[in-house]
Every structure is written in structure tokens, then in C-alpha cells.
Amino acid sequence: MEADELGALRFEDPAARRTGLLALRPLDHADTNWWLGVVQHVTLRATGPDTPDEERRAWAELAVTTLETALETGGLDEREVATREAGLSLALPAGHRPESLRPDRVARRCLDLAGLTPAEAAATTWSLRAEDVPVMRKLRRVRIMVVPALALSSQIEDEELRRELDEWQAVVPTLP
């Protein structure tokens, strides 16, 4: 992966960015680690303190395209992409945030991938014993998806989503 090639992609339209990413992808090592390396690079450029403000949005859009392309190719799964989108949305100032990283959209995606409602999670009993390990793992996966959505709660505009996040706020401390 050449940083200069990635830098040039940020000025392309989404289709050309996707094509460029796929062309950069090594055929023999196009696995999760390669995608994570690209995501890390473009995310740091989008959010880094040394990035000029006029370039920040272009890097953020490239980060979004990278995440989407990694998901489409199977390089990253939905949960990984959603939590990374949440982190990117949280780190970017609103004026530099692409539409697809709007906090309401990103938080909703995280909650949808949690797989449980706050009431269902709260009603799931578990204790620290070997028999409950599968239940604890399930609840831990829920927590991993809900916490990034909660981090965005102060920026949420949709009232229904705010109420759901308030419910999660009370439940998350009880999860493993």
C-alpha cells in the first residue's frame, strides 16, 4: 500500500475510490489485516491534528469508502465497520463529517447490530460461572456495539433514538 496512491484516491468520486482501493489490494494478502491497515491510515489522516481542515473531509470520505469496500469484499464484517464508523463520526467535527457518518445514522446501525433491545439485554440473567460463558459472550458482543452508539448520544437529533440510548445507558453497566 502506497500512501501517495491513497492520497490521490481521496480526490476521486466514490466509484473511482472503490476501484482504486481494489486495485491497490494485494491479491495474495487481501485479508482483514490489509483492510485494517488502510482504514487506520486514512482514519488517522481524516482525524489527525496535522491534517489541514480543507483536506479533512476528503480523507473522511475515503475512510468511509474504504470501510464500505472492505465490507463488500468480506475483508471486514458489519460489526467492525459499524464500530469504526462510530469512532470516525465521533472524532470528526460536524462540518467535516460526510453525510453517511451522521451520528443518528451511525448510532442506529450500531444498535441494530447489537441484536437485542435494552429490555431484552436487561432481562438476560448471567453470573460468573462456566455455564454462563456463552451468555456472557453474547452480552459482551451487545456491549461492544452499544457503547459506540452511547458515545454519540450527545449529538443525536432523533428523539426516539435518544430515548433508546437513554434506556441503554441504564443497562450497559450491568452487562459483562
Side-chain angles (χ1 to χ4, degrees):
M1 167 185 63
E2 289 292 324
D4 291 341
E5 292 170 311
L6 285 172
L9 285 179
R10 74 182 191 265
F11 299 114
E12 301 291 339
D13 63 71
R17 286 192 297 252
R18 183 184 187 286
T19 301
L21 286 165
L22 293 173
L24 289 174
R25 183 175 65 161
L27 297 176
D28 56 343
H29 297 293
D31 61 1
T32 299
N33 289 331
W34 184 84
W35 283 110
L36 288 174
V38 175
V39 167
Q40 183 71 17
H41 177 78
V42 297
T43 298
L44 286 172
R45 295 303 304 261
T47 61
D50 296 334
T51 301
D53 282 345
E54 60 272 9
E55 294 181 23
R56 199 170 297 283
R57 186 177 183 96
W59 282 109
E61 289 173 354
L62 180 57
V64 168
T65 301
T66 302
L67 288 166
E68 290 170 351
T69 305
L71 178 62
E72 290 168 10
T73 62
L76 297 177
D77 68 20
E78 278 187 299
R79 297 168 65 83
E80 180 73 27
V81 169
T83 57
R84 289 190 177 267
E85 284 178 338
L88 190 55
S89 180
L90 188 62
L92 287 168
H96 299 289
R97 195 181 289 145
E99 181 66 22
S100 62
L101 292 179
R102 281 187 44 247
D104 287 48
R105 179 198 166 281
V106 174
R108 171 51 52 212
R109 184 174 183 185
C110 286
L111 295 182
D112 287 348
L113 290 170
L116 293 178
T117 66
E120 291 169 332
T124 303
T125 58
W126 64 277
S127 64
L128 291 173
R129 57 185 186 161
E131 300 85 38
D132 287 348
V133 167
V135 174
M136 289 187 285
R137 285 184 181 144
K138 178 181 178 178
L139 292 174
R140 184 69 180 149
R141 285 189 299 272
V142 169
R143 178 194 261 292
I144 288 168
M145 295 312 302
V146 172
V147 168
L150 288 174
L152 292 165
S153 62
S154 66
Q155 300 175 43
I156 299 299
E157 296 174 5
D158 180 81
E159 287 302 319
E160 182 179 325
L161 183 54
R162 277 182 194 246
R163 282 191 294 278
E164 186 175 351
L165 287 168
D166 288 344
E167 291 176 41
W168 276 114
Q169 189 68 43
V171 173
V172 164
T174 68
L175 299 178

